[in-house]
Amino acid sequence: MSNTKVLPLLEPDEVVAPCCPPLTERPMSAEEAETAAKMFKALGDPVRLRLFSAIASHEGGEACVCDISDVGVSQPTVSHHLKKLKEAGLLTSERRGTWVYYRVEPSVLAAMGALLTTAATAA
Amino acid sequence: MSNTKVLPLLEPDEVVAPCCPPLTERPMSAEEAETAAKMFKALGDPVRLRLFSAIASHEGGEACVCDISDVGVSQPTVSHHLKKLKEAGLLTSERRGTWVYYRVEPSVLAAMGALLTTAATAA
DNA sequence: GGAATAGTTCGACGTATGTCAACATAGATG
DNA sequence: CATCTATGTTGACATACGTCGAACTATTCC
């Protein structure tokens, strides 16, 4: 797997289920809300948001933990948050030698953005 | 959308700080993350997301509480969540006679959307 | 093998959160 | 004023969450 690529391009194996219809289209069902809320929740913590932003803004949309753990909390806490982001489907991780690299999952991000953008543009 | 006013004009009490640079541009500062996280957090609950979606998808982007309180939790809980969304700056409320109407705050929503969309599109 | 470095997992702690039932308030109506 | 309907507020409770230090795992290098 080539890792030098950048965010925008969605490869087949990165396809993510269309989590949710645009916010303004119709009231979300309980299931849709459950799914979408998980992603929003994952970004609903300042530390996680900083970690995510640090990774997303890093070269090639990926970064080693050592490059981003300067967010004011202990290292175990950083690890904990990265795990949460991973569980939410926003990040993937890969060990390369001594270091572990985290990458953003572009498709999910795009889905969330579309969800909000459509909501704001419509109406 | 037949509102008295539309997106662009921000009134003094509605002014929303340019909460955040695009996620991919550079690592967010602690303050930026703090601000942005609040909004994500507000949408990070399934019930709140459903309420918000119900309002956003309603005629003119506004709805009376009675129209949207069918989300499976008690009435006080609905009220509590609407308050949270309001505190997060995502909704505004107005009493008209017997009923209270909630409306979406388009500018904030647009900001959040841009933040994510840019992140997914940029690189 | 042993030591050093990079991350994760575990256990504990205080705080925040979602929920409800009960009570309170606002406006309409008799 | 009494009352009914529509919402908001309060107090209590169980659970979830963020955080840390200590212990554990993985990889490299001597």
Side-chain angles (χ1 to χ4, degrees):
Chain A
M1 200 187 290
S2 77
N3 287 323
T4 40
K5 74 181 183 59
V6 210
L7 304 191
L9 307 183
L10 299 178
E11 295 174 0
D13 58 3
E14 291 182 329
V15 172
V16 170
C19 66
C20 25
L23 269 182
T24 51
E25 192 158 305
R26 58 190 68 264
M28 294 183 83
S29 73
E31 295 81 15
E32 290 167 339
E34 200 78 38
T35 304
K38 278 178 189 162
M39 301 190 300
F40 282 115
K41 192 173 190 174
L43 294 181
D45 178 271
V47 174
R48 279 198 293 271
L49 202 47
R50 288 186 72 188
L51 289 172
F52 189 85
S53 172
I55 295 171
S57 64
H58 218 260
E59 186 83 7
E62 81 171 14
C64 135
V65 178
C66 58
D67 288 327
I68 58 172
S69 33
D70 190 22
V71 286
V73 295
S74 71
Q75 208 277 327
T77 301
V78 168
S79 188
H80 169 249
H81 283 307
L82 289 173
K83 187 179 184 181
K84 284 255 185 173
L85 286 167
K86 211 169 117 180
E87 288 170 351
L90 296 171
L91 294 178
T92 58
S93 69
E94 180 193 354
R95 172 157 226 138
R96 289 212 288 277
T98 309
W99 300 280
V100 176
Y101 289 82
Y102 281 82
R103 294 198 310 163
V104 303
E105 193 57 58
S107 57
V108 186
L109 207 52
M112 288 180 69
L115 193 153
L116 289 171
T117 300
T118 305
T121 318
Chain B
M1 70 159 236
S2 55
N3 298 332
T4 32
K5 60 176 190 287
V6 203
L7 313 193
L9 306 185
L10 297 177
E11 296 174 1
D13 54 15
E14 291 182 330
V15 172
V16 172
C19 64
C20 25
L23 269 181
T24 52
E25 194 158 304
R26 59 189 68 262
M28 295 182 82
S29 73
E31 295 81 13
E32 292 166 338
E34 200 78 39
T35 304
K38 279 179 190 163
M39 301 190 299
F40 283 115
K41 192 174 190 175
L43 293 181
D45 177 272
V47 173
R48 280 198 291 272
L49 202 47
R50 289 186 71 189
L51 288 172
F52 188 84
S53 171
I55 295 171
S57 64
H58 219 259
E59 188 81 8
E62 81 170 13
C64 138
V65 178
C66 58
D67 288 328
I68 57 173
S69 33
D70 190 21
V71 286
V73 295
S74 71
Q75 196 275 322
T77 301
V78 168
S79 188
H80 169 249
H81 283 306
L82 288 173
K83 186 180 183 180
K84 284 255 184 170
L85 286 167
K86 211 169 116 181
E87 286 170 353
L90 295 172
L91 294 178
T92 58
S93 69
E94 180 194 353
R95 172 157 227 139
R96 290 212 287 278
T98 308
W99 299 280
V100 176
Y101 289 82
Y102 281 82
R103 294 199 310 164
V104 303
E105 192 57 58
S107 58
V108 186
L109 207 51
M112 288 179 69
L115 193 152
L116 289 171
T117 300
T118 305
T121 320

